[in-house]
């Protein structure tokens, strides 16, 4: 092992330590800001975690900014605004679905255009829509049921919502 290898190893360790300090300093206030912007303080921590995860992935670039805290807040605010927009779109879609979920052997109630759009989705997207909206299951449980990662379940749900919005002519962010 050469001297350059040791310096490189120390640089990595110090970058990790530097990010950990940044994370601890920023998380609590970032969670409050994100929750406030999303108008749902209960998801503020999730948004803060996601924004800090993005910062971690780009730490070499973010750490040299004049204000890395401002960068991570901008990311968190953008994520929070996106979630708020999606929740409004979801509410509209749920209203179109109607108050009654489908039961085996029953005709699905609600707006037939919404169900026609759901029927056009890819199978995994239909599954996440059914589990999330008809059975009110959280994403982690959907992931477990479908034997996929939480990230894959989240991605499928996002794609399904986007595809439904496109098919139904809704605007989305």
């Amino acid at each position: 092992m050469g001297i350059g290898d040791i310096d490189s190893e120390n640089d990595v360790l110090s970058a990790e330590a530097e990010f950990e300090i940044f994370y601890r300093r920023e998380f609590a206030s970032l969670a409050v800001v994100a929750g406030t912007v999303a108008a749902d303080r209960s998801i503020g921590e999730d948004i803060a975690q996601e924004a800090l995860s993005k910062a971690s992935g780009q730490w070499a670039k973010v750490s040299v900014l004049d204000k890395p805290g401002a960068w991570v807040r901008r990311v968190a605010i953008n994520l929070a605004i996106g979630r708020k927009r999606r929740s409004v779109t979801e509410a509209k879609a749920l209203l179109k679905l109607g108050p009654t979920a489908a039961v085996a052997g029953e005709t699905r109630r609600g707006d037939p255009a919404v169900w026609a759009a759901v029927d056009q989705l890819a199978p995994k997207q239909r599954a996440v829509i059914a589990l999330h909206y008809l059975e009110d299951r959280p994403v982690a449980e959907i992931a477990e049921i479908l034997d996929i990662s939480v990230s894959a379940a989240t991605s499928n749900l996002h794609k399904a919502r986007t595809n439904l919005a496109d098919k139904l002519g809704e605007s989305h962010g």
Side-chain angles (χ1 to χ4, degrees), residues 96-97 108-122 126 163-164 167-168:
K96 287 181 180 181
L97 284 174
R108 297 183 292 200
R109 293 189 219 180
D111 186 340
V114 173
W115 287 113
V118 170
D119 289 343
Q120 294 174 23
L121 296 174
R126 288 194 308 269
N163 288 336
L164 282 174
K167 290 175 187 320
L168 296 169

Side-chain angles (χ1 to χ4, degrees), residues 11 23 31 36 102 106 145 154:
D11 288 345
Y23 182 98
T36 301
E106 269 191 37
I145 290 169
T154 302

Side-chain angles (χ1 to χ4, degrees), residues 123-125 127-128 131 141-149 153 156:
K124 268 212 172 115
Q125 290 178 22
V128 297
L131 291 168
E141 192 175 337
I142 292 169
E144 185 178 314
I145 290 169
L146 297 177
D147 195 25
I148 58 178
S149 68
N156 275 294

Side-chain angles (χ1 to χ4, degrees), residues 64-93:
V64 297
L65 295 174
D66 288 338
K67 297 181 180 180
W71 184 92
V72 78
R73 276 169 180 69
R74 183 173 57 251
V75 170
I77 289 168
N78 287 340
L79 290 167
I81 290 168
R83 283 199 189 192
K84 182 67 178 162
R85 284 183 187 145
R86 282 189 301 278
S87 70
V88 168
T89 301
E90 286 175 29
K92 288 178 184 177

Side-chain angles (χ1 to χ4, degrees), residues 47-71:
I47 294 169
Q49 182 68 37
E50 189 175 347
L52 286 162
S53 176
K54 289 178 184 286
S56 175
Q58 299 180 42
W59 189 241
K61 192 169 75 172
V62 173
S63 65
V64 297
L65 295 174
D66 288 338
K67 297 181 180 180
W71 184 92

Side-chain angles (χ1 to χ4, degrees), residues 146-166:
L146 297 177
D147 195 25
I148 58 178
S149 68
V150 172
S151 142
T154 302
S155 176
N156 275 294
L157 188 56
H158 173 74
K159 287 176 188 171
R161 290 172 178 154
T162 301
N163 288 336
L164 282 174
D166 288 343

